[in-house]
Amino acid sequence: MSDAAWHARIVCGNEVGAGFLVSPRRVVTCAHVVRWSGTSAVTVTFPNSREFSALPATVAVHGGWSGGAADPGDLAVLELEREVPLAPAQFAPPGTELGDPAPTLVAYGFPRGYDEGMLARYQAVPGALVSDEWRQLEAVTAHGQPLAAGFSGAAVTLADGRVVGMVSTVASARDVRVGRMLPTQVMARHCPELGELVPTPDHHPDAVRRLYSLVRRAVAQELDCDANRLYVDAVGPFGPPLPGTGFTSLGAAAGYVQWEVPGAEAVTRFAERLQELLDPPSPRPPVAAAVPPWSPILVEIEHSGAGPDQVTVEVSAYREGQRRRVGAQRLARGAVREYVQRHIDDAFTQLAPDAEELITFVLPREWLNEPVARWECGAADSTPLGCAYPLVVVDRSRLRSGQLRHQLAKKWHRLDVRARTQLHRVDCGSPERPPSLRKRLRDADADLAGFSFPPTAARPHFEAGLNTPVPVLLWPRTGCADAQHEGPCSGAAFLDALSESVAGVAPTELPRRVRELRETADADDDPERHWAQDVQLLWDDPRCFPEPAASLHSPVA
């Protein structure tokens, strides 16, 4: 059987083009050759293997070509009706089409009147790719076969038959000596599964095969995995940033790591992290005084000093104990929500793929009752942030207090060995003065204080809780406007329901439990009347934030 048996002729409606076999059932061609596949049948023949009749095929992968002559992604992968026992094409390493002297390249196409095929000889023009997509080709002689219609999708090969690209733009009537091809690395960009077939100088073939084997497993198992976070994990904090808006698939991220990230380490790390997600290790027994399993996304808001309506906002993400800043800007107070929504989304790309995210708003004391848990996830997603993710607030003054950080750290080490929390109630109508409340919370070594009223109803009592090393405070954002009234109220009902809901919950798990309560309230038939609709959680574990909070603006500036 011919060594060139893998060359294919493709017909789709009135369009005739070329292609080449890359696996027993897959053929690569140009997307424009099969542009009418939605209404016309696609058939594939192998002229150098005449024992095979025309085989029906379908478009399995589309490179994203949108129809214009200068649009990128003019590539399609066809799936044959059945496997064919032919050896597939072999690829050469990227850049092999260039040299000094430049090698002669051969394309096998099917111009009008030559159903059996014709050969065209061209050379690649050195230098940059045209629009980072095409390698320009120029004819070796002025009198040979041009890249006419029927050559689109043809493999461009070296003299030994190895593929270096695919014809995508045939010669024009104005200049029959010039055409274009997609080089192999661009083909792999538009169809990541080809990356496994193209030799990569920086990577051992076994490493590349392992990478794509794991990607196929992950896709087959529908693994819940964020490709952007996996990429960031693989390249590390000093690697290339995410391209554009990120990756739309796991295969695209794997291909980018293979082709665009220097060195072999990123491919290895990408594969290792994917392996861990597919085959997670057995959980280790809990260790007393362990660091909590949260990876905070920190939203810090502070007065900018530029005016009463101006604040400075910084969004960052914690990863392996290190803080990675995503964005910081001085804004009018009314612009904060949109900025935070956008940058929280960016911060997720900085977390490890298996990280347990914790949205943490570090707020000035007078902002602690802001409805941040009710802010929508984004313009296209109206889900409240506090229903989508565990979300807590932290008092900025506490975060800056070395004394309170030390006392809170000691408190959390003791809490790690406790199986449950005890709610210490602060009810409306109590004659207890703020100093008495502070003493009660200290004497009881309180780990969780629940207020029946929002901070504005009795600020001195609320500040007594903030200035005491109580790790967790909960309260209703709305309710009693004056905490000194007598008789039953919604705040008392709030504390009754809260006490029942957090009983038996470990302190570390309270953010997750409160998220569940918020989601239950939001899904209720009458959410506005549900007791947990406006629950606010201040949860403060210094071990989650190993770096001290720095000022977000320069007093000099």
Side-chain angles (χ1 to χ4, degrees):
M1 191 172 292
S2 169
D3 291 339
W6 46 263
H7 288 289
R9 181 175 184 267
I10 297 165
V11 177
C12 178
N14 294 324
E15 194 80 34
V16 176
F20 51 102
L21 191 73
V22 294
S23 75
R25 260 189 99 173
R26 296 228 161 176
V27 172
V28 176
T29 187
C30 284
H32 76 259
V33 171
V34 292
R35 74 180 82 183
W36 310 117
S37 60
T39 56
S40 300
V42 179
T43 58
V44 178
T45 55
F46 296 94
N48 292 318
S49 300
R50 296 181 180 178
E51 62 270 30
F52 297 113
S53 57
L55 294 171
T58 57
V59 177
V61 178
H62 192 281
W65 179 69
S66 53
D71 290 334
D74 189 6
L75 177 146
V77 178
L78 309 181
E79 185 165 79
L80 302 175
E81 183 182 56
R82 59 181 175 84
E83 293 187 359
V84 292
L86 299 176
Q90 299 296 310
F91 288 84
T96 318
E97 70 272 15
L98 304 174
D100 188 14
T104 296
L105 307 176
V106 179
Y108 192 145
F110 303 93
R112 182 184 297 275
Y114 293 93
D115 290 357
E116 71 283 8
M118 287 287 285
L119 300 177
R121 294 191 301 160
Y122 277 70
Q123 288 180 329
V125 177
L129 298 181
V130 177
S131 292
D132 196 36
E133 181 82 1
W134 300 279
R135 175 70 67 190
Q136 186 169 314
L137 301 174
E138 294 185 353
V140 174
T141 68
H143 308 291
Q145 169 65 48
L147 292 177
F151 274 86
S152 292
V156 180
T157 67
L158 299 168
D160 60 11
R162 290 181 298 159
V163 177
V164 296
M166 178 183 72
V167 176
S168 61
T169 308
V170 297
S172 64
R174 183 178 60 189
D175 192 347
V176 297
R177 299 182 62 253
V178 177
R180 288 178 179 176
M181 75 172 186
L182 294 180
T184 51
Q185 69 270 28
V186 175
M187 295 172 64
R189 180 198 308 162
H190 297 305
C191 178
E193 68 182 57
L194 295 178
E196 185 177 2
L197 305 177
V198 181
T200 318
D202 287 345
H203 306 296
H204 192 279
D206 290 343
V208 175
R209 279 192 290 270
R210 179 192 178 212
L211 173 68
Y212 285 97
S213 174
L214 291 169
V215 169
R216 284 193 295 273
R217 273 188 61 196
V219 172
Q221 296 178 19
E222 298 182 350
L223 180 69
D224 184 11
C225 174
D226 187 326
N228 294 330
R229 288 164 67 176
L230 197 63
Y231 170 82
V232 172
D233 191 52
V235 302
F238 304 109
L242 278 170
T245 57
F247 302 106
T248 57
S249 69
L250 198 57
Y256 195 88
V257 169
Q258 177 190 2
W259 293 103
E260 305 296 340
V261 179
E265 296 82 3
V267 163
T268 301
R269 283 196 297 268
F270 193 100
E272 287 175 349
R273 295 298 292 122
L274 190 54
Q275 179 93 59
E276 290 172 7
L277 295 173
L278 287 164
D279 304 308
S282 301
R284 291 176 291 183
V287 179
V291 175
W294 295 110
S295 295
I297 290 176
L298 219 62
V299 180
E300 297 188 70
I301 300 175
E302 184 182 21
H303 297 295
S304 70
D309 186 50
Q310 297 293 309
V311 294
T312 303
V313 183
E314 180 173 316
V315 181
S316 54
Y318 274 89
R319 186 182 181 126
E320 297 174 354
Q322 299 298 314
R323 197 161 105 187
R324 301 183 179 190
R325 191 171 76 169
V326 176
Q329 190 168 336
R330 190 173 69 192
L331 300 164
R333 184 164 175 169
V336 170
R337 182 183 303 196
E338 187 276 333
Y339 181 85
V340 167
Q341 289 168 334
R342 179 159 40 90
H343 284 78
I344 281 180
D345 197 53
D346 295 339
F348 270 95
T349 66
Q350 300 298 319
L351 300 181
D354 55 351
E356 294 289 340
E357 65 276 355
L358 178 67
I359 310 295
T360 305
F361 280 80
V362 180
L363 302 173
R365 191 158 288 190
E366 63 271 24
W367 274 47
L368 285 176
N369 206 43
E370 282 291 310
V372 291
R374 301 296 305 163
W375 289 4
E376 297 178 347
C377 286
D381 184 357
S382 62
T383 307
L385 276 170
C387 294
Y389 311 106
L391 183 150
V392 302
V393 298
V394 173
D395 175 37
R396 186 161 187 81
S397 297
R398 278 175 43 132
L399 201 64
R400 284 177 167 173
S401 170
Q403 172 189 342
L404 277 173
R405 304 322 286 164
H406 177 71
Q407 292 176 321
L408 284 167
K410 289 196 300 181
K411 178 70 71 68
W412 275 104
H413 282 297
R414 294 197 296 272
L415 290 178
D416 281 332
V417 297
R418 294 187 191 173
R420 57 195 304 168
T421 56
Q422 179 184 355
L423 179 69
H424 293 264
R425 299 173 64 117
V426 183
D427 283 280
C428 294
S430 170
E432 192 172 37
R433 296 185 306 111
S436 301
L437 172 60
R438 184 169 58 245
K439 185 176 187 303
R440 173 163 70 93
L441 295 176
R442 283 190 184 276
D443 290 348
D445 195 24
D447 48 32
L448 171 58
F451 292 79
S452 64
F453 47 84
T456 52
R459 188 164 295 280
H461 288 76
F462 191 76
E463 291 193 349
L466 289 174
N467 295 330
T468 306
V470 180
V472 184
L473 281 71
L474 285 137
W475 66 90
R477 280 198 324 97
T478 57
C480 299
D482 183 358
Q484 299 306 313
H485 69 83
E486 296 181 358
C489 64
S490 61
F494 170 86
L495 289 182
D496 291 341
L498 177 66
S499 180
E500 181 180 347
S501 297
V502 301
V505 179
T508 303
E509 289 298 308
L510 281 171
R512 188 175 285 109
R513 178 62 178 140
V514 171
R515 187 209 67 79
E516 295 168 354
L517 294 173
R518 287 170 174 150
E519 188 172 38
T520 299
D522 195 58
D524 193 78
D525 291 338
D526 191 359
E528 296 302 323
R529 296 177 63 87
H530 194 283
W531 71 269
Q533 172 69 4
D534 281 320
V535 61
Q536 194 84 320
L537 169 63
L538 185 148
W539 185 93
D540 191 358
D541 185 346
R543 299 169 302 173
C544 278
F545 318 111
E547 297 177 76
S551 176
L552 299 183
H553 68 282
S554 166
V556 176

